[in-house]
Amino acid sequence: MADELFKALGDRTRRVILDELAQKSGQTLFEICSRLTMKHRLAISRQGVSQHLAVLEAAGLVETRRVGRYKYHDLNTAPLGHITERWPAPSAPAPKEKSP
């Protein structure tokens, strides 16, 4: 799981897609493509975006749901917790009391 997570986060376009889903979850492929083109000036095909979404989904960062003929993409930040669990921040040493 960690390898897929780091692979997914290692690409700038995928990070931009995650940023967009963080701002508005539940987007269709068309909406994501439109935002990437208009807001970020990324020239990427629908197929390219679809492939990026597949990598994000394999890493667990994107979940999909179908409603009728539409497929919606939602951000799932739970896998990011694995990073902090794997390398927890060291706890700060307790302050030493000063003797008078």
Side-chain angles (χ1 to χ4, degrees):
M1 175 83 158
D3 291 338
E4 292 168 339
L5 181 61
F6 287 112
K7 176 185 175 187
L9 294 173
D11 184 86
R12 178 185 175 275
T13 301
R14 287 193 283 269
R15 291 191 305 270
V16 171
I17 291 171
L18 292 175
D19 289 340
E20 287 303 318
L21 289 175
Q23 286 184 356
K24 182 181 181 262
S25 199
Q27 295 185 61
T28 63
L29 177 61
F30 176 79
E31 290 174 299
I32 294 168
C33 290
S34 297
R35 284 173 162 255
L36 294 178
T37 301
M38 300 299 288
K39 188 175 176 182
H40 300 281
R41 306 280 187 229
L42 291 177
I44 185 170
S45 67
R46 286 174 55 100
Q47 182 180 5
V49 174
S50 183
Q51 289 172 347
H52 282 299
L53 286 167
V55 172
L56 292 168
E57 191 173 358
L61 292 168
V62 170
E63 295 177 342
T64 60
R65 57 189 161 84
R66 286 204 175 270
V67 179
R69 61 182 229 174
Y70 296 100
K71 185 177 181 181
Y72 295 93
H73 302 84
D74 297 293
L75 177 65
N76 178 21
T77 59
L80 297 174
H82 297 293
I83 294 172
T84 57
E85 291 170 5
R86 184 170 180 172
W87 296 293
S91 56
K96 296 181 180 179
E97 292 185 27
K98 294 183 180 179
S99 324

Coordinates of all heavy atoms in Angstrom, one line a residue:
M1 N 0.8 -1.2 0.0 CA 0.0 0.0 0.0 C 0.9 1.3 0.0 O 0.6 2.2 -0.7 CB -0.9 0.0 1.2 CG -1.7 1.2 1.4 SD -3.2 1.1 0.4 CE -4.2 2.2 1.1
A2 N 1.9 1.3 0.7 CA 2.8 2.5 0.8 C 3.4 2.8 -0.5 O 3.5 4.0 -0.9 CB 3.9 2.3 1.9
D3 N 3.8 1.8 -1.3 CA 4.5 2.0 -2.6 C 3.5 2.7 -3.5 O 3.8 3.7 -4.2 CB 5.0 0.7 -3.2 CG 6.1 0.1 -2.5 OD1 6.8 0.9 -1.8 OD2 6.4 -1.1 -2.6
E4 N 2.2 2.3 -3.5 CA 1.2 2.9 -4.4 C 0.9 4.3 -3.9 O 0.7 5.2 -4.8 CB -0.1 2.0 -4.4 CG 0.1 0.7 -5.0 CD -1.0 -0.3 -4.8 OE1 -1.8 -0.1 -3.8 OE2 -1.2 -1.2 -5.6
L5 N 0.9 4.5 -2.6 CA 0.6 5.8 -2.1 C 1.7 6.8 -2.5 O 1.4 7.9 -3.0 CB 0.5 5.8 -0.5 CG 0.2 7.0 0.2 CD1 -1.1 7.6 -0.3 CD2 0.2 6.8 1.7
F6 N 3.0 6.4 -2.3 CA 4.1 7.3 -2.7 C 4.1 7.5 -4.2 O 4.5 8.6 -4.7 CB 5.4 6.8 -2.1 CG 5.5 7.0 -0.7 CD1 5.5 5.9 0.2 CD2 5.6 8.3 -0.1 CE1 5.6 6.1 1.6 CE2 5.7 8.5 1.3 CZ 5.7 7.4 2.1
K7 N 3.8 6.5 -5.0 CA 3.8 6.6 -6.4 C 2.7 7.7 -6.8 O 2.9 8.5 -7.7 CB 3.5 5.3 -7.1 CG 3.4 5.4 -8.6 CD 3.0 4.1 -9.2 CE 2.7 4.2 -10.7 NZ 2.2 3.0 -11.3
A8 N 1.6 7.6 -6.2 CA 0.5 8.5 -6.5 C 0.8 9.9 -6.1 O 0.5 10.8 -6.9 CB -0.8 8.0 -5.7
L9 N 1.5 10.1 -5.0 CA 1.8 11.5 -4.6 C 3.0 12.0 -5.3 O 3.3 13.2 -5.3 CB 2.1 11.5 -3.1 CG 0.9 11.2 -2.2 CD1 1.3 11.0 -0.8 CD2 -0.2 12.2 -2.4
G10 N 3.8 11.2 -6.0 CA 5.0 11.6 -6.7 C 4.8 12.4 -7.9 O 5.8 12.9 -8.5
D11 N 3.6 12.5 -8.4 CA 3.3 13.1 -9.7 C 2.6 14.4 -9.5 O 1.6 14.5 -8.8 CB 2.5 12.2 -10.6 CG 2.3 12.8 -12.0 OD1 3.2 12.6 -12.8 OD2 1.3 13.5 -12.1
R12 N 3.1 15.5 -10.1 CA 2.5 16.9 -9.9 C 1.1 16.9 -10.3 O 0.2 17.5 -9.6 CB 3.3 17.9 -10.6 CG 2.8 19.3 -10.5 CD 3.5 20.3 -11.4 NE 2.9 21.6 -11.3 CZ 1.9 22.0 -12.1 NH1 1.4 21.1 -13.0 NH2 1.4 23.2 -12.0
T13 N 0.7 16.3 -11.4 CA -0.6 16.4 -11.9 C -1.6 15.7 -11.0 O -2.7 16.2 -10.7 CB -0.7 15.7 -13.3 OG1 0.2 16.5 -14.2 CG2 -2.1 15.8 -13.9
R14 N -1.2 14.6 -10.4 CA -2.0 13.8 -9.5 C -2.2 14.7 -8.2 O -3.3 14.7 -7.6 CB -1.4 12.5 -9.2 CG -1.6 11.5 -10.3 CD -1.3 10.1 -10.0 NE 0.0 9.8 -9.8 CZ 0.8 9.3 -10.8 NH1 0.3 9.1 -12.0 NH2 2.1 9.0 -10.6
R15 N -1.2 15.4 -7.8 CA -1.3 16.3 -6.6 C -2.3 17.4 -6.9 O -3.1 17.8 -6.0 CB 0.0 16.8 -6.1 CG 0.9 15.7 -5.6 CD 2.2 16.3 -4.9 NE 3.0 17.2 -5.7 CZ 4.0 16.7 -6.5 NH1 4.3 15.5 -6.5 NH2 4.7 17.6 -7.2
V16 N -2.3 17.9 -8.1 CA -3.2 19.0 -8.5 C -4.7 18.4 -8.5 O -5.6 19.1 -8.0 CB -2.9 19.6 -9.9 CG1 -4.0 20.5 -10.4 CG2 -1.6 20.3 -9.8
I17 N -4.8 17.2 -9.0 CA -6.2 16.6 -9.0 C -6.6 16.4 -7.5 O -7.8 16.7 -7.2 CB -6.1 15.2 -9.7 CG1 -5.9 15.4 -11.2 CG2 -7.4 14.4 -9.4 CD1 -5.6 14.1 -12.0
L18 N -5.7 16.0 -6.6 CA -6.1 15.9 -5.2 C -6.5 17.2 -4.6 O -7.4 17.3 -3.9 CB -5.0 15.2 -4.4 CG -4.7 13.7 -4.7 CD1 -3.5 13.3 -3.9 CD2 -5.9 12.9 -4.4
D19 N -5.8 18.3 -5.0 CA -6.1 19.6 -4.5 C -7.5 20.0 -5.0 O -8.3 20.6 -4.2 CB -5.1 20.6 -5.1 CG -3.7 20.5 -4.4 OD1 -3.6 19.9 -3.3 OD2 -2.7 21.0 -5.0
E20 N -7.8 19.7 -6.2 CA -9.1 20.0 -6.7 C -10.2 19.2 -6.0 O -11.3 19.8 -5.7 CB -9.2 19.8 -8.3 CG -8.5 20.9 -9.0 CD -8.9 22.3 -8.8 OE1 -10.2 22.5 -8.7 OE2 -8.1 23.2 -8.6
L21 N -10.0 18.0 -5.8 CA -11.0 17.1 -5.0 C -11.1 17.6 -3.6 O -12.1 17.4 -3.0 CB -10.6 15.7 -5.2 CG -10.8 15.1 -6.5 CD1 -10.3 13.6 -6.6 CD2 -12.3 15.1 -7.0
A22 N -10.0 18.1 -3.0 CA -10.1 18.7 -1.7 C -11.0 19.9 -1.6 O -11.7 20.1 -0.6 CB -8.7 19.0 -1.1
Q23 N -10.9 20.7 -2.7 CA -11.8 21.9 -2.7 C -13.2 21.5 -3.0 O -14.2 22.2 -2.5 CB -11.3 22.8 -3.8 CG -10.1 23.6 -3.4 CD -9.6 24.6 -4.5 OE1 -10.3 24.7 -5.5 NE2 -8.6 25.3 -4.2
K24 N -13.5 20.5 -3.9 CA -14.8 20.1 -4.2 C -14.8 18.6 -4.5 O -14.5 18.2 -5.6 CB -15.3 20.9 -5.4 CG -16.8 20.5 -5.8 CD -17.2 21.3 -7.0 CE -18.7 20.9 -7.3 NZ -18.8 19.9 -8.4
S25 N -15.2 17.8 -3.5 CA -15.3 16.4 -3.7 C -16.5 16.0 -4.5 O -17.5 16.8 -4.6 CB -15.3 15.7 -2.3 OG -14.9 14.4 -2.4
G26 N -16.5 14.9 -5.1 CA -17.7 14.4 -5.8 C -17.8 14.9 -7.2 O -18.8 15.2 -7.7
Q27 N -16.6 15.0 -7.9 CA -16.6 15.6 -9.3 C -16.6 14.4 -10.3 O -16.0 13.4 -10.0 CB -15.3 16.4 -9.5 CG -15.3 17.7 -8.6 CD -14.1 18.5 -9.0 OE1 -14.0 18.9 -10.1 NE2 -13.3 18.8 -8.0
T28 N -17.2 14.7 -11.4 CA -17.1 13.8 -12.5 C -15.8 14.0 -13.3 O -15.1 15.0 -13.1 CB -18.3 14.0 -13.5 OG1 -18.1 15.3 -14.1 CG2 -19.6 13.8 -12.8
L29 N -15.5 13.1 -14.2 CA -14.3 13.2 -15.0 C -14.3 14.5 -15.8 O -13.3 15.2 -15.9 CB -14.1 12.0 -15.9 CG -13.0 12.0 -16.9 CD1 -11.6 12.1 -16.2 CD2 -13.0 10.8 -17.8
F30 N -15.5 14.8 -16.3 CA -15.6 16.1 -17.1 C -15.3 17.3 -16.2 O -14.6 18.2 -16.7 CB -17.0 16.2 -17.7 CG -17.3 17.5 -18.4 CD1 -16.8 17.7 -19.7 CD2 -17.9 18.5 -17.8 CE1 -17.0 18.9 -20.4 CE2 -18.2 19.7 -18.4 CZ -17.7 19.9 -19.7
E31 N -15.8 17.3 -15.0 CA -15.5 18.5 -14.1 C -14.0 18.6 -13.8 O -13.5 19.7 -13.8 CB -16.3 18.3 -12.8 CG -17.8 18.5 -13.0 CD -18.6 18.2 -11.7 OE1 -18.5 17.1 -11.2 OE2 -19.2 19.2 -11.2
I32 N -13.4 17.5 -13.5 CA -12.0 17.5 -13.2 C -11.2 18.0 -14.4 O -10.3 18.8 -14.2 CB -11.5 16.1 -12.7 CG1 -12.2 15.7 -11.4 CG2 -10.0 16.0 -12.6 CD1 -12.0 14.2 -11.0
C33 N -11.5 17.5 -15.6 CA -10.8 17.9 -16.8 C -10.9 19.4 -17.0 O -10.0 20.1 -17.3 CB -11.3 17.1 -18.0 SG -10.8 15.4 -18.0
S34 N -12.1 19.9 -16.8 CA -12.4 21.3 -17.0 C -11.6 22.1 -16.0 O -11.0 23.2 -16.4 CB -13.9 21.6 -16.8 OG -14.7 20.9 -17.8
R35 N -11.6 21.7 -14.8 CA -10.8 22.5 -13.8 C -9.3 22.5 -14.1 O -8.7 23.5 -13.9 CB -11.1 21.9 -12.4 CG -12.4 22.3 -11.8 CD -12.7 21.6 -10.5 NE -13.7 22.2 -9.8 CZ -13.6 22.9 -8.7 NH1 -12.4 23.1 -8.2 NH2 -14.6 23.5 -8.1
L36 N -8.8 21.4 -14.5 CA -7.4 21.3 -14.8 C -7.0 22.2 -16.0 O -6.0 22.8 -16.0 CB -7.0 19.8 -15.1 CG -7.1 18.8 -13.9 CD1 -6.7 17.5 -14.4 CD2 -6.2 19.3 -12.8
T37 N -7.9 22.2 -17.0 CA -7.7 23.0 -18.1 C -7.8 24.5 -17.9 O -6.9 25.3 -18.2 CB -8.6 22.6 -19.3 OG1 -8.4 21.3 -19.6 CG2 -8.4 23.5 -20.5
M38 N -8.9 24.9 -17.2 CA -9.2 26.3 -17.0 C -8.4 26.9 -15.9 O -7.9 28.0 -16.0 CB -10.7 26.5 -16.8 CG -11.6 26.0 -17.9 SD -11.4 26.8 -19.5 CE -12.1 28.4 -19.1
K39 N -8.4 26.2 -14.8 CA -7.7 26.8 -13.6 C -6.2 26.7 -13.6 O -5.5 27.6 -13.2 CB -8.4 26.2 -12.4 CG -8.0 26.8 -11.1 CD -8.7 26.1 -9.9 CE -8.3 26.7 -8.6 NZ -9.0 26.0 -7.5
H40 N -5.7 25.5 -14.0 CA -4.3 25.2 -13.9 C -3.6 25.2 -15.3 O -2.4 25.0 -15.3 CB -4.1 23.8 -13.3 CG -4.7 23.8 -11.9 ND1 -4.1 24.3 -10.8 CD2 -5.9 23.3 -11.4 CE1 -4.8 24.2 -9.7 NE2 -5.9 23.5 -10.1
R41 N -4.3 25.4 -16.4 CA -3.8 25.5 -17.7 C -3.0 24.2 -18.1 O -2.0 24.3 -18.7 CB -2.8 26.7 -17.9 CG -3.4 28.0 -17.5 CD -4.3 28.5 -18.7 NE -4.7 29.9 -18.4 CZ -6.0 30.3 -18.5 NH1 -6.9 29.4 -18.9 NH2 -6.4 31.5 -18.3
L42 N -3.5 23.1 -17.6 CA -2.9 21.8 -17.9 C -3.5 21.3 -19.2 O -4.7 21.1 -19.3 CB -3.0 20.8 -16.8 CG -2.3 21.1 -15.5 CD1 -2.6 20.1 -14.4 CD2 -0.8 21.1 -15.7
A43 N -2.7 21.0 -20.2 CA -3.2 20.4 -21.4 C -3.0 18.9 -21.3 O -2.0 18.3 -21.6 CB -2.4 20.9 -22.6
I44 N -4.1 18.3 -20.9 CA -4.1 16.8 -20.7 C -5.4 16.3 -21.2 O -6.5 16.9 -21.0 CB -3.8 16.5 -19.2 CG1 -3.7 15.0 -19.0 CG2 -4.9 17.1 -18.3 CD1 -3.2 14.6 -17.6
S45 N -5.3 15.1 -21.8 CA -6.5 14.5 -22.4 C -7.4 13.9 -21.3 O -6.9 13.6 -20.2 CB -6.1 13.4 -23.4 OG -5.5 12.3 -22.7
R46 N -8.6 13.6 -21.6 CA -9.5 12.9 -20.7 C -9.0 11.6 -20.3 O -9.1 11.1 -19.2 CB -10.9 12.8 -21.3 CG -11.7 14.1 -21.4 CD -13.0 13.9 -22.1 NE -13.9 12.8 -21.6 CZ -14.9 13.0 -20.8 NH1 -15.2 14.2 -20.4 NH2 -15.6 11.9 -20.4
Q47 N -8.4 10.9 -21.3 CA -7.8 9.6 -21.0 C -6.6 9.7 -20.1 O -6.5 8.9 -19.2 CB -7.3 8.9 -22.3 CG -6.8 7.5 -22.1 CD -6.3 6.9 -23.4 OE1 -6.3 7.5 -24.5 NE2 -5.9 5.7 -23.3
G48 N -5.8 10.8 -20.2 CA -4.7 11.0 -19.3 C -5.2 11.2 -17.9 O -4.6 10.7 -16.9
V49 N -6.2 12.1 -17.7 CA -6.8 12.3 -16.4 C -7.4 11.0 -15.8 O -7.2 10.7 -14.7 CB -7.9 13.4 -16.5 CG1 -8.6 13.6 -15.1 CG2 -7.2 14.7 -16.9
S50 N -8.0 10.3 -16.7 CA -8.6 9.0 -16.2 C -7.5 8.0 -15.7 O -7.7 7.3 -14.7 CB -9.4 8.4 -17.4 OG -10.0 7.2 -17.0
Q51 N -6.4 8.0 -16.4 CA -5.3 7.2 -15.9 C -4.7 7.7 -14.6 O -4.4 6.8 -13.7 CB -4.2 7.1 -17.0 CG -4.6 6.3 -18.2 CD -3.6 6.4 -19.4 OE1 -2.7 7.2 -19.4 NE2 -3.8 5.6 -20.4
H52 N -4.6 9.0 -14.4 CA -4.1 9.5 -13.2 C -5.1 9.2 -12.0 O -4.7 8.8 -10.9 CB -4.0 11.0 -13.2 CG -2.7 11.5 -13.9 ND1 -1.5 11.2 -13.5 CD2 -2.6 12.2 -15.0 CE1 -0.6 11.7 -14.3 NE2 -1.2 12.4 -15.3
L53 N -6.4 9.3 -12.3 CA -7.4 8.9 -11.3 C -7.3 7.4 -11.0 O -7.5 7.1 -9.8 CB -8.8 9.3 -11.9 CG -9.2 10.7 -11.9 CD1 -10.4 11.0 -12.7 CD2 -9.3 11.3 -10.5
A54 N -7.0 6.6 -11.9 CA -6.9 5.1 -11.6 C -5.7 4.9 -10.7 O -5.8 4.0 -9.8 CB -6.7 4.4 -12.9
V55 N -4.6 5.6 -10.8 CA -3.5 5.5 -9.9 C -3.9 6.0 -8.5 O -3.6 5.3 -7.5 CB -2.2 6.3 -10.5 CG1 -1.1 6.3 -9.4 CG2 -1.8 5.7 -11.8
L56 N -4.6 7.1 -8.5 CA -5.0 7.6 -7.2 C -6.0 6.7 -6.5 O -6.0 6.5 -5.3 CB -5.7 9.0 -7.4 CG -4.7 10.1 -7.8 CD1 -5.5 11.4 -8.2 CD2 -3.7 10.4 -6.7
E57 N -6.9 6.1 -7.3 CA -7.8 5.1 -6.8 C -7.1 3.8 -6.2 O -7.5 3.3 -5.2 CB -8.9 4.7 -7.8 CG -10.0 4.0 -7.3 CD -11.1 3.8 -8.3 OE1 -11.0 4.2 -9.4 OE2 -12.1 3.1 -7.9
A58 N -6.1 3.4 -7.0 CA -5.4 2.2 -6.5 C -4.6 2.5 -5.2 O -4.5 1.6 -4.4 CB -4.3 1.8 -7.6
A59 N -4.3 3.7 -5.0 CA -3.6 4.1 -3.7 C -4.6 4.3 -2.6 O -4.2 4.6 -1.5 CB -2.7 5.3 -4.0
G60 N -5.9 4.3 -2.9 CA -6.9 4.6 -1.9 C -7.2 6.0 -1.7 O -8.0 6.4 -0.8
L61 N -6.5 6.9 -2.4 CA -6.7 8.4 -2.2 C -8.0 8.9 -2.9 O -8.5 10.0 -2.5 CB -5.5 9.1 -2.7 CG -4.2 8.9 -2.0 CD1 -3.0 9.5 -2.7 CD2 -4.3 9.5 -0.6
V62 N -8.5 8.2 -3.8 CA -9.8 8.6 -4.5 C -10.7 7.4 -4.5 O -10.3 6.2 -4.7 CB -9.5 9.0 -6.0 CG1 -10.8 9.2 -6.7 CG2 -8.7 10.3 -6.0
E63 N -11.9 7.7 -4.1 CA -13.0 6.6 -4.1 C -14.0 7.1 -5.2 O -14.2 8.3 -5.4 CB -13.7 6.5 -2.8 CG -12.7 6.0 -1.7 CD -13.3 6.0 -0.3 OE1 -14.4 6.6 -0.1 OE2 -12.8 5.3 0.5
T64 N -14.6 6.1 -5.8 CA -15.6 6.4 -6.9 C -16.9 5.8 -6.5 O -17.0 4.8 -5.8 CB -15.2 5.9 -8.2 OG1 -15.0 4.5 -8.2 CG2 -13.9 6.5 -8.7
R65 N -18.0 6.5 -7.0 CA -19.3 6.0 -6.9 C -20.1 6.3 -8.1 O -19.9 7.3 -8.8 CB -20.0 6.6 -5.6 CG -20.1 8.1 -5.6 CD -20.5 8.6 -4.3 NE -20.2 10.0 -4.2 CZ -20.9 11.0 -4.7 NH1 -22.0 10.8 -5.3 NH2 -20.4 12.3 -4.5
R66 N -21.0 5.4 -8.5 CA -21.8 5.6 -9.7 C -23.2 6.0 -9.3 O -23.8 5.4 -8.4 CB -21.8 4.3 -10.5 CG -20.5 4.1 -11.3 CD -20.8 3.2 -12.5 NE -19.6 3.0 -13.3 CZ -19.2 3.8 -14.2 NH1 -20.0 4.8 -14.6 NH2 -18.1 3.6 -14.9
V67 N -23.7 7.0 -10.0 CA -25.1 7.4 -9.9 C -25.6 7.5 -11.3 O -25.3 8.4 -12.0 CB -25.2 8.7 -9.1 CG1 -26.7 9.2 -9.0 CG2 -24.6 8.7 -7.7
G68 N -26.4 6.5 -11.6 CA -26.9 6.5 -13.0 C -25.7 6.2 -14.0 O -24.9 5.3 -13.7
R69 N -25.6 7.1 -14.9 CA -24.5 6.9 -15.9 C -23.3 7.8 -15.5 O -22.3 7.8 -16.3 CB -25.0 7.2 -17.3 CG -25.5 8.6 -17.5 CD -25.9 8.8 -18.9 NE -25.3 10.1 -19.4 CZ -25.4 10.5 -20.6 NH1 -26.1 9.8 -21.5 NH2 -24.9 11.6 -21.0
Y70 N -23.3 8.5 -14.4 CA -22.2 9.3 -14.0 C -21.4 8.6 -12.9 O -21.9 7.9 -12.1 CB -22.8 10.6 -13.4 CG -23.5 11.5 -14.5 CD1 -24.8 11.5 -14.5 CD2 -22.7 12.2 -15.4 CE1 -25.5 12.2 -15.5 CE2 -23.4 12.9 -16.4 CZ -24.8 12.9 -16.4 OH -25.4 13.7 -17.4
K71 N -20.1 8.9 -13.0 CA -19.1 8.3 -12.0 C -18.5 9.5 -11.3 O -18.0 10.4 -11.9 CB -18.0 7.5 -12.7 CG -17.1 6.9 -11.8 CD -16.1 6.0 -12.6 CE -15.1 5.3 -11.8 NZ -14.1 4.6 -12.6
Y72 N -18.7 9.5 -10.0 CA -18.2 10.6 -9.2 C -16.9 10.2 -8.4 O -16.8 9.1 -7.9 CB -19.3 11.1 -8.2 CG -20.5 11.7 -8.9 CD1 -21.6 10.8 -9.2 CD2 -20.5 13.0 -9.2 CE1 -22.7 11.4 -9.8 CE2 -21.6 13.5 -9.9 CZ -22.7 12.7 -10.2 OH -23.8 13.2 -10.8
H73 N -16.0 11.2 -8.3 CA -14.7 10.9 -7.6 C -14.7 11.7 -6.3 O -14.9 12.9 -6.3 CB -13.6 11.3 -8.5 CG -13.6 10.6 -9.8 ND1 -14.4 11.0 -10.9 CD2 -13.0 9.5 -10.2 CE1 -14.2 10.2 -11.9 NE2 -13.4 9.2 -11.5
D74 N -14.4 11.0 -5.2 CA -14.3 11.6 -3.9 C -12.9 11.5 -3.3 O -12.3 10.4 -3.5 CB -15.3 11.0 -3.0 CG -16.7 11.2 -3.4 OD1 -17.2 12.4 -3.4 OD2 -17.4 10.2 -3.8
L75 N -12.4 12.5 -2.6 CA -11.1 12.4 -2.0 C -11.2 11.6 -0.7 O -12.2 11.7 0.0 CB -10.7 13.8 -1.6 CG -9.3 13.9 -0.8 CD1 -8.2 13.5 -1.7 CD2 -9.1 15.4 -0.4
N76 N -10.2 10.7 -0.5 CA -10.2 9.9 0.8 C -8.8 10.2 1.4 O -7.8 9.7 0.8 CB -10.4 8.4 0.5 CG -10.2 7.6 1.7 OD1 -10.4 8.1 2.8 ND2 -9.9 6.3 1.5
T77 N -8.7 10.9 2.5 CA -7.4 11.2 3.1 C -6.9 10.2 4.0 O -5.8 10.3 4.6 CB -7.5 12.6 3.8 OG1 -8.5 12.5 4.8 CG2 -7.8 13.7 2.8
A78 N -7.7 9.2 4.3 CA -7.3 8.1 5.3 C -5.9 7.5 5.0 O -5.2 7.3 5.9 CB -8.4 7.1 5.4
P79 N -5.6 7.2 3.8 CA -4.3 6.6 3.5 C -3.1 7.5 3.9 O -2.0 7.0 4.2 CB -4.3 6.3 2.0 CG -5.7 6.1 1.6 CD -6.4 7.1 2.5
L80 N -3.3 8.8 3.9 CA -2.3 9.7 4.3 C -1.9 9.5 5.8 O -0.7 9.7 6.2 CB -2.7 11.1 4.1 CG -2.9 11.5 2.6 CD1 -3.4 12.9 2.5 CD2 -1.7 11.3 1.8
G81 N -2.8 8.9 6.6 CA -2.5 8.6 8.0 C -1.4 7.6 8.1 O -0.7 7.6 9.1
H82 N -1.3 6.7 7.1 CA -0.3 5.7 7.2 C 1.1 6.3 7.2 O 2.0 5.7 7.8 CB -0.4 4.7 6.0 CG -1.7 4.0 6.0 ND1 -2.0 3.0 6.9 CD2 -2.8 4.0 5.1 CE1 -3.2 2.5 6.6 NE2 -3.7 3.1 5.6
I83 N 1.3 7.4 6.5 CA 2.6 8.1 6.5 C 3.0 8.5 7.9 O 4.1 8.3 8.4 CB 2.6 9.2 5.6 CG1 2.4 8.7 4.1 CG2 3.9 10.1 5.7 CD1 2.2 9.8 3.1
T84 N 2.0 9.2 8.6 CA 2.4 9.6 10.0 C 2.5 8.5 11.0 O 3.2 8.6 12.0 CB 1.3 10.7 10.5 OG1 0.0 10.0 10.4 CG2 1.3 11.9 9.6
E85 N 1.8 7.4 10.7 CA 1.9 6.3 11.6 C 3.2 5.6 11.4 O 3.8 5.0 12.3 CB 0.8 5.3 11.4 CG -0.6 5.8 11.8 CD -1.7 4.9 11.3 OE1 -1.5 3.8 10.7 OE2 -2.9 5.3 11.6
R86 N 3.7 5.6 10.2 CA 5.0 4.9 9.9 C 6.2 5.6 10.4 O 7.1 5.0 10.9 CB 5.1 4.7 8.4 CG 6.3 4.0 7.9 CD 6.3 3.6 6.5 NE 7.5 2.9 6.1 CZ 7.7 2.4 4.9 NH1 6.8 2.4 4.0 NH2 8.8 1.7 4.7
W87 N 6.1 7.0 10.3 CA 7.2 7.8 10.8 C 6.6 8.8 11.8 O 6.5 10.0 11.4 CB 7.9 8.5 9.7 CG 8.6 7.5 8.8 CD1 9.7 6.7 9.0 CD2 8.3 7.3 7.4 NE1 10.0 6.0 7.9 CE2 9.2 6.3 6.9 CE3 7.3 7.8 6.5 CZ2 9.2 5.8 5.6 CZ3 7.3 7.3 5.2 CH2 8.2 6.3 4.8
P88 N 6.3 8.4 13.0 CA 5.7 9.4 13.9 C 6.8 10.5 14.3 O 8.0 10.2 14.3 CB 5.4 8.6 15.1 CG 6.2 7.4 15.0 CD 6.5 7.1 13.6
A89 N 6.3 11.6 14.6 CA 7.2 12.7 15.0 C 7.7 12.4 16.3 O 7.0 11.9 17.2 CB 6.4 14.0 15.0
P90 N 9.0 12.6 16.5 CA 9.6 12.4 17.9 C 9.0 13.3 18.9 O 8.7 14.5 18.6 CB 11.1 12.6 17.7 CG 11.2 13.5 16.4 CD 10.0 13.2 15.6
S91 N 8.7 12.8 20.1 CA 8.2 13.6 21.1 C 9.2 14.5 21.7 O 10.4 14.2 21.8 CB 7.5 12.7 22.2 OG 8.5 11.9 22.7
A92 N 8.8 15.7 22.0 CA 9.8 16.7 22.6 C 10.2 16.2 24.0 O 9.4 15.7 24.7 CB 9.1 18.0 22.6
P93 N 11.5 16.4 24.3 CA 11.9 16.0 25.7 C 11.3 16.9 26.7 O 11.0 18.1 26.4 CB 13.4 16.3 25.6 CG 13.7 17.2 24.5 CD 12.5 17.0 23.5
A94 N 11.0 16.4 27.8 CA 10.4 17.1 28.9 C 11.4 18.2 29.4 O 12.6 17.9 29.5 CB 10.0 16.2 30.1
P95 N 10.9 19.4 29.7 CA 11.8 20.4 30.2 C 12.4 20.0 31.6 O 11.7 19.4 32.4 CB 10.9 21.6 30.3 CG 9.5 21.2 30.3 CD 9.5 19.8 29.7
K96 N 13.7 20.3 31.7 CA 14.3 20.0 33.0 C 14.1 21.1 34.0 O 14.0 22.3 33.7 CB 15.8 19.9 32.8 CG 16.2 18.7 31.9 CD 17.7 18.7 31.7 CE 18.1 17.5 30.8 NZ 19.5 17.4 30.6
E97 N 13.9 20.7 35.2 CA 13.6 21.7 36.3 C 15.0 22.3 36.7 O 16.0 21.6 36.8 CB 13.0 21.0 37.5 CG 11.5 20.6 37.2 CD 10.9 20.0 38.4 OE1 11.2 20.4 39.6 OE2 10.0 19.2 38.3
K98 N 14.9 23.6 37.0 CA 16.2 24.2 37.4 C 16.2 24.2 38.9 O 15.2 24.4 39.6 CB 16.2 25.7 36.9 CG 16.3 25.8 35.4 CD 16.3 27.2 34.9 CE 16.4 27.3 33.4 NZ 16.4 28.6 32.9
S99 N 17.4 24.0 39.4 CA 17.6 24.0 40.9 C 18.0 25.4 41.3 O 18.7 26.1 40.6 CB 18.7 23.1 41.3 OG 18.8 21.9 40.6
P100 N 17.5 25.9 42.5 CA 17.8 27.2 42.9 C 19.2 27.3 43.4 O 20.0 26.6 43.7 CB 16.8 27.5 44.0 CG 16.2 26.2 44.4 CD 16.5 25.3 43.3

